[in-house]
Amino acid sequence: MSEKATITLEGKNFELPVITGTENEKAIDITKLRDLTGYITLDSGYKNTGATISQITYLDGETGILRYRGYPIEQLAEKSSFLEVAYLLIYGTLPTTDQFDDFSKKITRHTLIHEDMKRFYEAFPKKAHPMAVLASMLCTLSTFYPESQQTNRPWEEVETTVHRLLAKISTISAWAYKNSVGHPVVYPQNKYNYVENFLNMMFSMPTEQYEIDPVIVQALDKLLILHADHEQNCSASTVRMVGSSHANLYSSVSAGAIALWGPLHGGANQEVIEMLQKIQADGGNYKKWVEKAKDKNDSFKLMGFGHRVYKNFDPRAKIIKKACDDVLNKLGINDPILDLAKQLEEVALNDQYFVERKLYPNVDFYSGIIYKAIGIPTEMFTVMFAMGRLPGWIAQWKEMIAAKEPIGRPRQIYTGETERNYVPIAKR
Ligand code: ACO
């Protein structure tokens, strides 16, 4: 017999279906709740609300599990490549050699951006945050490909948009950086793989060709994999919500980038490094800053700590911490910021405040240290996150469109004034 949930309201019992996922996650299906009872549910920040049924990513915050399409993140981070993971997320299966070659070729072929887009860069102030530039440019792509605005296009046509996005985001991002430092942009080159091409566009100069270091390529590829999807987080939910109105894919992922930018989400990686630098400049007394984070009268938070779903550990943080040690060792960098991060982590993990609230380092706690070691400027950290997350946003959007999900439109409980009559200004 299928399980049911019984809810009693105003003395009447109502039965609601229970849904069970493949990993035995349970949900009470309230789709008919309002029709049956006149009631809605209230769940600020959606802490208990499943917004969709999905087959893309599984995570269990209590035991620290993360899998893309069933494959453990640890295996993908060690053995796969970012483009292969992008394929997996978007298409649902690991590619064969032919499928992978075809996919990589298509992405390589689309890395150039329209010359007219260069003029947009010239118009941005030099101080523009690269996340603002990235989000604007992702949306701007829709003006160059107006056919993307038609709804119900066959998948084969949408696929070109997918290839363009995956390809052009690295050019757009690298150019945002070049523009911010007043250097000439570097064009993409087909001889490079995805990560090499990005690094070349970021760091080559007319005066000096950037030497690509395989240690850096590998580290960056791993970081992109670790950020590639995280089920219904703030930015993925934004992409699905915006896409549910049938806004085009370029605009939907642009909205996702904006959601990611916030310091409580992807913007935390920039904030972590800035926090560590501040603590270091303050004499390195990290214990004082842990106390500040605990003080409810102080707005300071330990950036890179805590997560909405991980209440044990963030499996990505474990992988990144190790990668961070490896990269710094291989590059021969001795960064005191890394020592500070480790000491801070140690103190926080043994402090009652953090233990009781199950606050652990999240993916962003160590990622910034790797980005810094490989020469990525702090303001670009969240852009790196967005590049990694793009396949996830695309997969979430694709799934939502294929399932013909209705437009996202939550309800509310109104607590404002009840009806009152208008009073002319002179009589107020
Ligand atoms: N430092 C100090 N205290 C914290 C921190 C922190 N980093 N994070 C949470 N807390 C405290 C809260 O003050 C709260 O305490 P209380 O119960 O005494 O009121 C308790 O822990 C629960 O925290 P909430 O904010 O209610 O948890 P929520 O799930 O809403 O927020 C979030 C999660 C936003 C990630 C939060 O932990 C945070 O702000 N962390 C710092 C920012 C950060 O690193 N963000 C990146 C997240 S990972 C990502 O998006 C990729």
Side-chain angles (χ1 to χ4, degrees):
M1 208 180 71
S2 57
E3 220 177 326
K4 299 257 184 237
T6 306
I7 172 170
T8 307
L9 291 168
E10 298 168 18
K12 274 198 223 153
N13 282 348
F14 301 92
E15 279 201 336
L16 297 168
V18 166
I19 296 181
T20 307
T22 48
E23 293 284 352
N24 213 25
E25 290 176 298
K26 304 228 178 237
I28 302 166
D29 179 354
I30 59 157
T31 322
K32 300 263 182 307
L33 182 70
R34 191 166 172 278
D35 287 347
L36 285 173
T37 67
Y39 283 65
I40 61 165
T41 55
L42 187 62
D43 185 19
S44 171
Y46 311 118
K47 292 191 180 192
N48 308 281
T49 297
T52 191
I53 291 173
S54 180
Q55 301 184 346
I56 303 168
T57 290
Y58 171 69
L59 76 83
D60 178 343
E62 267 67 43
T63 51
I65 291 174
L66 173 61
R67 296 184 201 133
Y68 299 159
R69 303 280 188 186
Y71 297 101
I73 190 66
E74 293 79 6
Q75 291 181 21
L76 294 171
E78 196 191 325
K79 299 175 184 164
S80 184
S81 70
F82 175 60
L83 274 198
E84 191 183 32
V85 166
Y87 186 99
L88 171 70
L89 286 167
I90 295 166
Y91 294 91
T93 53
L94 285 169
T96 60
T97 309
D98 286 350
Q99 286 167 334
F100 183 70
D101 287 349
D102 182 53
F103 185 63
S104 316
K105 264 187 214 135
K106 282 183 176 140
I107 287 168
T108 307
R109 193 186 307 151
H110 286 291
T111 44
L112 263 183
I113 56 179
H114 198 290
E115 279 297 291
D116 287 350
M117 273 183 91
K118 265 168 88 180
R119 290 190 284 129
F120 288 86
Y121 283 94
E122 284 153 23
F124 282 117
K126 286 281 171 282
K127 282 188 191 153
H129 194 287
M131 274 306 280
V133 177
L134 173 69
S136 310
M137 288 304 198
L138 288 173
C139 190
T140 300
L141 284 173
S142 66
T143 65
F144 288 86
Y145 306 103
E147 68 283 1
S148 66
Q149 279 145 43
Q150 293 156 15
T151 43
N152 302 323
R153 283 195 303 152
W155 168 245
E156 296 68 48
E157 285 179 29
V158 179
E159 219 174 9
T160 310
T161 303
V162 170
H163 297 145
R164 282 194 180 118
L165 269 169
L166 288 168
K168 293 180 199 308
I169 194 170
S170 59
T171 314
I172 288 174
S173 303
W175 286 18
Y177 166 63
K178 286 290 193 197
N179 191 57
S180 73
V181 287
H183 292 170
V185 298
V186 175
Y187 283 86
Q189 290 198 29
N190 290 359
K191 66 177 176 183
Y192 292 129
N193 72 25
Y194 193 82
V195 172
E196 290 168 348
N197 198 26
F198 171 72
L199 288 167
N200 185 56
M201 289 190 286
M202 277 288 288
F203 299 121
S204 269
M205 295 284 283
T207 45
E208 198 174 350
Q209 176 74 26
Y210 173 75
E211 267 187 44
I212 292 169
D213 182 336
V215 172
I216 293 181
V217 174
Q218 221 183 16
L220 200 49
D221 199 69
K222 195 178 288 222
L223 281 170
L224 294 175
I225 293 174
L226 293 175
H227 286 92
D229 193 51
H230 213 233
E231 51 116 305
Q232 307 313 313
N233 55 82
C234 178
S235 55
S237 303
T238 300
V239 172
R240 288 184 89 122
M241 174 70 98
V242 172
S244 77
S245 74
H246 293 183
N248 65 74
L249 181 53
Y250 295 115
S251 320
S252 302
V253 296
S254 159
I258 293 291
L260 186 76
W261 189 9
L264 298 189
H265 192 11
N269 56 14
Q270 173 174 345
E271 303 258 337
V272 170
I273 284 290
E274 286 170 356
M275 171 188 79
L276 292 171
Q277 284 167 339
K278 203 158 143 189
I279 298 176
Q280 197 186 29
D282 188 44
N285 182 2
Y286 50 90
K287 289 184 184 157
K288 171 182 138 188
W289 291 82
V290 171
E291 290 309 311
K292 271 168 77 64
K294 288 156 60 178
D295 182 356
K296 293 287 168 204
N297 296 317
D298 191 324
S299 62
F300 175 75
K301 269 187 175 183
L302 213 50
M303 297 313 285
F305 259 77
H307 198 276
R308 170 59 61 77
V309 279
Y310 290 123
K311 301 299 176 195
N312 179 338
F313 66 91
D314 179 340
R316 302 166 302 171
K318 261 194 173 174
I319 301 169
I320 288 188
K321 187 178 178 182
K322 188 173 172 305
C324 193
D325 273 332
D326 288 353
V327 171
L328 265 58
N329 279 340
K330 282 184 192 158
L331 296 179
I333 296 174
N334 182 13
D335 190 343
I337 290 278
L338 178 63
D339 297 333
L340 189 58
K342 284 183 179 166
Q343 286 158 334
L344 199 61
E345 180 187 356
E346 177 80 18
V347 170
L349 287 182
N350 291 303
D351 189 291
Q352 204 51 25
Y353 174 97
F354 290 87
V355 174
E356 270 170 13
R357 289 168 180 77
K358 300 189 170 164
L359 301 170
Y360 293 85
N362 58 50
V363 66
D364 287 327
F365 193 65
Y366 284 103
S367 63
I369 298 172
I370 307 188
Y371 291 139
K372 185 167 172 274
I374 62 185
I376 308 276
T378 317
E379 287 214 324
M380 284 292 287
F381 289 2
T382 313
V383 173
M384 303 308 300
F385 192 153
M387 277 176 60
R389 185 53 56 87
L390 182 64
W393 290 336
I394 293 170
Q396 298 285 346
W397 179 91
K398 183 184 173 215
E399 185 179 70
M400 185 269 309
I401 294 289
K404 296 192 168 47
E405 284 185 11
I407 185 167
R409 203 302 186 187
R411 286 188 175 263
Q412 63 165 16
I413 295 295
Y414 174 73
T415 57
E417 298 286 349
T418 51
E419 186 177 0
R420 49 184 171 166
N421 287 323
Y422 174 80
V423 180
I425 196 161
K427 294 195 177 168
R428 276 175 228 160

PDB file of all heavy atoms in Angstrom, residues 13-40:
ATOM      1  N   ASN A  13      -9.783  15.488   8.480  1.00  0.00           N
ATOM      2  CA  ASN A  13      -8.560  14.816   8.046  1.00  0.00           C
ATOM      3  C   ASN A  13      -8.433  14.868   6.522  1.00  0.00           C
ATOM      4  O   ASN A  13      -9.420  14.664   5.810  1.00  0.00           O
ATOM      5  CB  ASN A  13      -8.575  13.343   8.456  1.00  0.00           C
ATOM      6  CG  ASN A  13      -8.246  13.173   9.924  1.00  0.00           C
ATOM      7  OD1 ASN A  13      -7.803  14.120  10.571  1.00  0.00           O
ATOM      8  ND2 ASN A  13      -8.473  11.992  10.463  1.00  0.00           N
ATOM      9  N   PHE A  14      -7.229  15.125   6.063  1.00  0.00           N
ATOM     10  CA  PHE A  14      -6.953  15.109   4.615  1.00  0.00           C
ATOM     11  C   PHE A  14      -5.756  14.209   4.367  1.00  0.00           C
ATOM     12  O   PHE A  14      -4.786  14.264   5.136  1.00  0.00           O
ATOM     13  CB  PHE A  14      -6.628  16.512   4.107  1.00  0.00           C
ATOM     14  CG  PHE A  14      -7.720  17.510   4.331  1.00  0.00           C
ATOM     15  CD1 PHE A  14      -7.743  18.283   5.491  1.00  0.00           C
ATOM     16  CD2 PHE A  14      -8.735  17.671   3.400  1.00  0.00           C
ATOM     17  CE1 PHE A  14      -8.753  19.205   5.707  1.00  0.00           C
ATOM     18  CE2 PHE A  14      -9.748  18.597   3.612  1.00  0.00           C
ATOM     19  CZ  PHE A  14      -9.767  19.367   4.766  1.00  0.00           C
ATOM     20  N   GLU A  15      -5.852  13.392   3.342  1.00  0.00           N
ATOM     21  CA  GLU A  15      -4.722  12.504   3.018  1.00  0.00           C
ATOM     22  C   GLU A  15      -3.931  13.064   1.856  1.00  0.00           C
ATOM     23  O   GLU A  15      -4.506  13.481   0.842  1.00  0.00           O
ATOM     24  CB  GLU A  15      -5.257  11.121   2.646  1.00  0.00           C
ATOM     25  CG  GLU A  15      -5.581  10.290   3.863  1.00  0.00           C
ATOM     26  CD  GLU A  15      -5.602   8.812   3.548  1.00  0.00           C
ATOM     27  OE1 GLU A  15      -5.826   8.458   2.381  1.00  0.00           O
ATOM     28  OE2 GLU A  15      -5.381   8.015   4.481  1.00  0.00           O
ATOM     29  N   LEU A  16      -2.617  13.062   2.029  1.00  0.00           N
ATOM     30  CA  LEU A  16      -1.747  13.560   0.963  1.00  0.00           C
ATOM     31  C   LEU A  16      -0.760  12.460   0.567  1.00  0.00           C
ATOM     32  O   LEU A  16      -0.264  11.736   1.434  1.00  0.00           O
ATOM     33  CB  LEU A  16      -0.964  14.792   1.444  1.00  0.00           C
ATOM     34  CG  LEU A  16      -1.806  16.015   1.824  1.00  0.00           C
ATOM     35  CD1 LEU A  16      -0.951  17.040   2.550  1.00  0.00           C
ATOM     36  CD2 LEU A  16      -2.424  16.647   0.582  1.00  0.00           C
ATOM     37  N   PRO A  17      -0.490  12.341  -0.740  1.00  0.00           N
ATOM     38  CA  PRO A  17       0.448  11.287  -1.167  1.00  0.00           C
ATOM     39  C   PRO A  17       1.870  11.541  -0.667  1.00  0.00           C
ATOM     40  O   PRO A  17       2.261  12.698  -0.477  1.00  0.00           O
ATOM     41  CB  PRO A  17       0.408  11.349  -2.700  1.00  0.00           C
ATOM     42  CG  PRO A  17      -0.490  12.478  -3.064  1.00  0.00           C
ATOM     43  CD  PRO A  17      -0.974  13.161  -1.842  1.00  0.00           C
ATOM     44  N   VAL A  18       2.610  10.457  -0.467  1.00  0.00           N
ATOM     45  CA  VAL A  18       4.021  10.563  -0.106  1.00  0.00           C
ATOM     46  C   VAL A  18       4.834  10.083  -1.306  1.00  0.00           C
ATOM     47  O   VAL A  18       4.509   9.069  -1.929  1.00  0.00           O
ATOM     48  CB  VAL A  18       4.334   9.711   1.152  1.00  0.00           C
ATOM     49  CG1 VAL A  18       5.841   9.531   1.339  1.00  0.00           C
ATOM     50  CG2 VAL A  18       3.730  10.365   2.393  1.00  0.00           C
ATOM     51  N   ILE A  19       5.863  10.851  -1.651  1.00  0.00           N
ATOM     52  CA  ILE A  19       6.726  10.492  -2.789  1.00  0.00           C
ATOM     53  C   ILE A  19       8.076  10.038  -2.239  1.00  0.00           C
ATOM     54  O   ILE A  19       8.608  10.663  -1.313  1.00  0.00           O
ATOM     55  CB  ILE A  19       6.938  11.704  -3.711  1.00  0.00           C
ATOM     56  CG1 ILE A  19       5.600  12.123  -4.321  1.00  0.00           C
ATOM     57  CG2 ILE A  19       7.945  11.424  -4.797  1.00  0.00           C
ATOM     58  CD1 ILE A  19       5.728  13.287  -5.256  1.00  0.00           C
ATOM     59  N   THR A  20       8.631   8.968  -2.801  1.00  0.00           N
ATOM     60  CA  THR A  20       9.940   8.482  -2.353  1.00  0.00           C
ATOM     61  C   THR A  20      10.910   8.493  -3.530  1.00  0.00           C
ATOM     62  O   THR A  20      10.607   7.983  -4.606  1.00  0.00           O
ATOM     63  CB  THR A  20       9.816   7.035  -1.802  1.00  0.00           C
ATOM     64  OG1 THR A  20       8.779   7.041  -0.823  1.00  0.00           O
ATOM     65  CG2 THR A  20      11.110   6.571  -1.159  1.00  0.00           C
ATOM     66  N   GLY A  21      12.081   9.075  -3.315  1.00  0.00           N
ATOM     67  CA  GLY A  21      13.100   9.130  -4.369  1.00  0.00           C
ATOM     68  C   GLY A  21      13.912   7.848  -4.418  1.00  0.00           C
ATOM     69  O   GLY A  21      13.748   6.960  -3.569  1.00  0.00           O
ATOM     70  N   THR A  22      14.826   7.756  -5.390  1.00  0.00           N
ATOM     71  CA  THR A  22      15.610   6.525  -5.544  1.00  0.00           C
ATOM     72  C   THR A  22      16.592   6.325  -4.392  1.00  0.00           C
ATOM     73  O   THR A  22      17.095   5.231  -4.181  1.00  0.00           O
ATOM     74  CB  THR A  22      16.401   6.521  -6.877  1.00  0.00           C
ATOM     75  OG1 THR A  22      17.073   7.780  -6.995  1.00  0.00           O
ATOM     76  CG2 THR A  22      15.509   6.325  -8.074  1.00  0.00           C
ATOM     77  N   GLU A  23      16.902   7.388  -3.659  1.00  0.00           N
ATOM     78  CA  GLU A  23      17.786   7.260  -2.495  1.00  0.00           C
ATOM     79  C   GLU A  23      16.967   7.290  -1.205  1.00  0.00           C
ATOM     80  O   GLU A  23      17.469   7.642  -0.142  1.00  0.00           O
ATOM     81  CB  GLU A  23      18.834   8.381  -2.497  1.00  0.00           C
ATOM     82  CG  GLU A  23      19.829   8.295  -3.635  1.00  0.00           C
ATOM     83  CD  GLU A  23      20.891   7.218  -3.434  1.00  0.00           C
ATOM     84  OE1 GLU A  23      20.955   6.634  -2.337  1.00  0.00           O
ATOM     85  OE2 GLU A  23      21.643   6.966  -4.400  1.00  0.00           O
ATOM     86  N   ASN A  24      15.665   6.951  -1.346  1.00  0.00           N
ATOM     87  CA  ASN A  24      14.756   6.871  -0.210  1.00  0.00           C
ATOM     88  C   ASN A  24      14.480   8.211   0.474  1.00  0.00           C
ATOM     89  O   ASN A  24      14.096   8.249   1.642  1.00  0.00           O
ATOM     90  CB  ASN A  24      15.300   5.859   0.820  1.00  0.00           C
ATOM     91  CG  ASN A  24      14.163   5.150   1.519  1.00  0.00           C
ATOM     92  OD1 ASN A  24      13.063   5.048   0.948  1.00  0.00           O
ATOM     93  ND2 ASN A  24      14.380   4.705   2.744  1.00  0.00           N
ATOM     94  N   GLU A  25      14.676   9.304  -0.256  1.00  0.00           N
ATOM     95  CA  GLU A  25      14.278  10.603   0.298  1.00  0.00           C
ATOM     96  C   GLU A  25      12.767  10.709   0.194  1.00  0.00           C
ATOM     97  O   GLU A  25      12.190  10.305  -0.824  1.00  0.00           O
ATOM     98  CB  GLU A  25      14.876  11.731  -0.541  1.00  0.00           C
ATOM     99  CG  GLU A  25      16.361  11.871  -0.421  1.00  0.00           C
ATOM    100  CD  GLU A  25      16.864  12.946  -1.364  1.00  0.00           C
ATOM    101  OE1 GLU A  25      16.679  12.764  -2.588  1.00  0.00           O
ATOM    102  OE2 GLU A  25      17.413  13.950  -0.893  1.00  0.00           O
ATOM    103  N   LYS A  26      12.138  11.269   1.228  1.00  0.00           N
ATOM    104  CA  LYS A  26      10.671  11.286   1.241  1.00  0.00           C
ATOM    105  C   LYS A  26      10.136  12.713   1.177  1.00  0.00           C
ATOM    106  O   LYS A  26      10.734  13.631   1.738  1.00  0.00           O
ATOM    107  CB  LYS A  26      10.179  10.637   2.533  1.00  0.00           C
ATOM    108  CG  LYS A  26      10.713   9.223   2.722  1.00  0.00           C
ATOM    109  CD  LYS A  26       9.612   8.283   3.092  1.00  0.00           C
ATOM    110  CE  LYS A  26      10.146   6.885   3.235  1.00  0.00           C
ATOM    111  NZ  LYS A  26       9.477   5.952   2.378  1.00  0.00           N
ATOM    112  N   ALA A  27       9.010  12.837   0.500  1.00  0.00           N
ATOM    113  CA  ALA A  27       8.344  14.140   0.431  1.00  0.00           C
ATOM    114  C   ALA A  27       6.838  13.956   0.545  1.00  0.00           C
ATOM    115  O   ALA A  27       6.290  12.951   0.075  1.00  0.00           O
ATOM    116  CB  ALA A  27       8.677  14.817  -0.892  1.00  0.00           C
ATOM    117  N   ILE A  28       6.194  14.905   1.181  1.00  0.00           N
ATOM    118  CA  ILE A  28       4.730  14.921   1.173  1.00  0.00           C
ATOM    119  C   ILE A  28       4.327  15.770  -0.031  1.00  0.00           C
ATOM    120  O   ILE A  28       4.753  16.922  -0.148  1.00  0.00           O
ATOM    121  CB  ILE A  28       4.180  15.540   2.476  1.00  0.00           C
ATOM    122  CG1 ILE A  28       4.694  14.741   3.680  1.00  0.00           C
ATOM    123  CG2 ILE A  28       2.658  15.597   2.452  1.00  0.00           C
ATOM    124  CD1 ILE A  28       4.502  15.440   5.007  1.00  0.00           C
ATOM    125  N   ASP A  29       3.570  15.174  -0.918  1.00  0.00           N
ATOM    126  CA  ASP A  29       3.179  15.883  -2.140  1.00  0.00           C
ATOM    127  C   ASP A  29       1.991  16.799  -1.821  1.00  0.00           C
ATOM    128  O   ASP A  29       0.875  16.331  -1.594  1.00  0.00           O
ATOM    129  CB  ASP A  29       2.802  14.833  -3.205  1.00  0.00           C
ATOM    130  CG  ASP A  29       2.362  15.484  -4.505  1.00  0.00           C
ATOM    131  OD1 ASP A  29       2.235  16.724  -4.543  1.00  0.00           O
ATOM    132  OD2 ASP A  29       2.127  14.743  -5.484  1.00  0.00           O
ATOM    133  N   ILE A  30       2.255  18.112  -1.813  1.00  0.00           N
ATOM    134  CA  ILE A  30       1.188  19.053  -1.439  1.00  0.00           C
ATOM    135  C   ILE A  30       0.586  19.749  -2.665  1.00  0.00           C
ATOM    136  O   ILE A  30      -0.062  20.783  -2.535  1.00  0.00           O
ATOM    137  CB  ILE A  30       1.709  20.112  -0.437  1.00  0.00           C
ATOM    138  CG1 ILE A  30       2.879  20.913  -1.036  1.00  0.00           C
ATOM    139  CG2 ILE A  30       2.096  19.484   0.888  1.00  0.00           C
ATOM    140  CD1 ILE A  30       3.066  22.259  -0.409  1.00  0.00           C
ATOM    141  N   THR A  31       0.799  19.172  -3.844  1.00  0.00           N
ATOM    142  CA  THR A  31       0.312  19.817  -5.077  1.00  0.00           C
ATOM    143  C   THR A  31      -1.176  20.187  -4.977  1.00  0.00           C
ATOM    144  O   THR A  31      -1.608  21.223  -5.467  1.00  0.00           O
ATOM    145  CB  THR A  31       0.519  18.862  -6.277  1.00  0.00           C
ATOM    146  OG1 THR A  31       1.747  18.182  -6.125  1.00  0.00           O
ATOM    147  CG2 THR A  31       0.507  19.606  -7.587  1.00  0.00           C
ATOM    148  N   LYS A  32      -1.951  19.321  -4.321  1.00  0.00           N
ATOM    149  CA  LYS A  32      -3.408  19.559  -4.273  1.00  0.00           C
ATOM    150  C   LYS A  32      -3.839  20.184  -2.938  1.00  0.00           C
ATOM    151  O   LYS A  32      -5.024  20.292  -2.663  1.00  0.00           O
ATOM    152  CB  LYS A  32      -4.145  18.216  -4.436  1.00  0.00           C
ATOM    153  CG  LYS A  32      -3.867  17.482  -5.749  1.00  0.00           C
ATOM    154  CD  LYS A  32      -4.982  17.797  -6.741  1.00  0.00           C
ATOM    155  CE  LYS A  32      -4.860  17.103  -8.073  1.00  0.00           C
ATOM    156  NZ  LYS A  32      -3.625  17.239  -8.785  1.00  0.00           N
ATOM    157  N   LEU A  33      -2.878  20.547  -2.086  1.00  0.00           N
ATOM    158  CA  LEU A  33      -3.209  20.998  -0.725  1.00  0.00           C
ATOM    159  C   LEU A  33      -4.201  22.162  -0.692  1.00  0.00           C
ATOM    160  O   LEU A  33      -5.189  22.147   0.039  1.00  0.00           O
ATOM    161  CB  LEU A  33      -1.918  21.399   0.016  1.00  0.00           C
ATOM    162  CG  LEU A  33      -2.118  21.838   1.458  1.00  0.00           C
ATOM    163  CD1 LEU A  33      -2.506  20.663   2.340  1.00  0.00           C
ATOM    164  CD2 LEU A  33      -0.843  22.489   2.007  1.00  0.00           C
ATOM    165  N   ARG A  34      -3.948  23.180  -1.510  1.00  0.00           N
ATOM    166  CA  ARG A  34      -4.786  24.368  -1.451  1.00  0.00           C
ATOM    167  C   ARG A  34      -6.194  24.066  -1.959  1.00  0.00           C
ATOM    168  O   ARG A  34      -7.187  24.520  -1.391  1.00  0.00           O
ATOM    169  CB  ARG A  34      -4.145  25.503  -2.258  1.00  0.00           C
ATOM    170  CG  ARG A  34      -4.824  26.829  -2.020  1.00  0.00           C
ATOM    171  CD  ARG A  34      -4.002  27.988  -2.523  1.00  0.00           C
ATOM    172  NE  ARG A  34      -4.774  29.214  -2.442  1.00  0.00           N
ATOM    173  CZ  ARG A  34      -5.656  29.595  -3.349  1.00  0.00           C
ATOM    174  NH1 ARG A  34      -5.853  28.844  -4.423  1.00  0.00           N
ATOM    175  NH2 ARG A  34      -6.344  30.706  -3.197  1.00  0.00           N
ATOM    176  N   ASP A  35      -6.244  23.263  -3.044  1.00  0.00           N
ATOM    177  CA  ASP A  35      -7.565  22.892  -3.583  1.00  0.00           C
ATOM    178  C   ASP A  35      -8.370  22.118  -2.541  1.00  0.00           C
ATOM    179  O   ASP A  35      -9.556  22.331  -2.368  1.00  0.00           O
ATOM    180  CB  ASP A  35      -7.401  21.999  -4.826  1.00  0.00           C
ATOM    181  CG  ASP A  35      -6.918  22.812  -6.006  1.00  0.00           C
ATOM    182  OD1 ASP A  35      -6.968  24.055  -5.909  1.00  0.00           O
ATOM    183  OD2 ASP A  35      -6.464  22.217  -7.009  1.00  0.00           O
ATOM    184  N   LEU A  36      -7.670  21.205  -1.829  1.00  0.00           N
ATOM    185  CA  LEU A  36      -8.368  20.347  -0.862  1.00  0.00           C
ATOM    186  C   LEU A  36      -8.753  21.078   0.412  1.00  0.00           C
ATOM    187  O   LEU A  36      -9.843  20.881   0.960  1.00  0.00           O
ATOM    188  CB  LEU A  36      -7.452  19.165  -0.454  1.00  0.00           C
ATOM    189  CG  LEU A  36      -7.253  18.021  -1.435  1.00  0.00           C
ATOM    190  CD1 LEU A  36      -6.187  17.063  -0.906  1.00  0.00           C
ATOM    191  CD2 LEU A  36      -8.565  17.273  -1.628  1.00  0.00           C
ATOM    192  N   THR A  37      -7.824  21.948   0.898  1.00  0.00           N
ATOM    193  CA  THR A  37      -8.001  22.489   2.252  1.00  0.00           C
ATOM    194  C   THR A  37      -8.140  24.003   2.308  1.00  0.00           C
ATOM    195  O   THR A  37      -8.551  24.543   3.332  1.00  0.00           O
ATOM    196  CB  THR A  37      -6.770  22.128   3.116  1.00  0.00           C
ATOM    197  OG1 THR A  37      -5.629  22.840   2.594  1.00  0.00           O
ATOM    198  CG2 THR A  37      -6.485  20.634   3.110  1.00  0.00           C
ATOM    199  N   GLY A  38      -7.732  24.708   1.265  1.00  0.00           N
ATOM    200  CA  GLY A  38      -7.718  26.174   1.306  1.00  0.00           C
ATOM    201  C   GLY A  38      -6.457  26.719   1.957  1.00  0.00           C
ATOM    202  O   GLY A  38      -6.247  27.923   2.008  1.00  0.00           O
ATOM    203  N   TYR A  39      -5.616  25.826   2.467  1.00  0.00           N
ATOM    204  CA  TYR A  39      -4.374  26.255   3.134  1.00  0.00           C
ATOM    205  C   TYR A  39      -3.198  26.210   2.158  1.00  0.00           C
ATOM    206  O   TYR A  39      -3.213  25.431   1.206  1.00  0.00           O
ATOM    207  CB  TYR A  39      -4.030  25.313   4.300  1.00  0.00           C
ATOM    208  CG  TYR A  39      -4.855  25.535   5.555  1.00  0.00           C
ATOM    209  CD1 TYR A  39      -6.225  25.309   5.569  1.00  0.00           C
ATOM    210  CD2 TYR A  39      -4.244  25.939   6.742  1.00  0.00           C
ATOM    211  CE1 TYR A  39      -6.978  25.500   6.718  1.00  0.00           C
ATOM    212  CE2 TYR A  39      -4.987  26.138   7.898  1.00  0.00           C
ATOM    213  CZ  TYR A  39      -6.356  25.916   7.883  1.00  0.00           C
ATOM    214  OH  TYR A  39      -7.085  26.116   9.019  1.00  0.00           O
ATOM    215  N   ILE A  40      -2.184  27.035   2.458  1.00  0.00           N
ATOM    216  CA  ILE A  40      -0.897  26.893   1.763  1.00  0.00           C
ATOM    217  C   ILE A  40       0.163  26.544   2.818  1.00  0.00           C
ATOM    218  O   ILE A  40      -0.133  26.570   4.012  1.00  0.00           O
ATOM    219  CB  ILE A  40      -0.476  28.185   1.012  1.00  0.00           C
ATOM    220  CG1 ILE A  40      -0.312  29.359   1.998  1.00  0.00           C
ATOM    221  CG2 ILE A  40      -1.452  28.519  -0.084  1.00  0.00           C
ATOM    222  CD1 ILE A  40       0.439  30.547   1.417  1.00  0.00           C
TER     223      ILE A  40
END
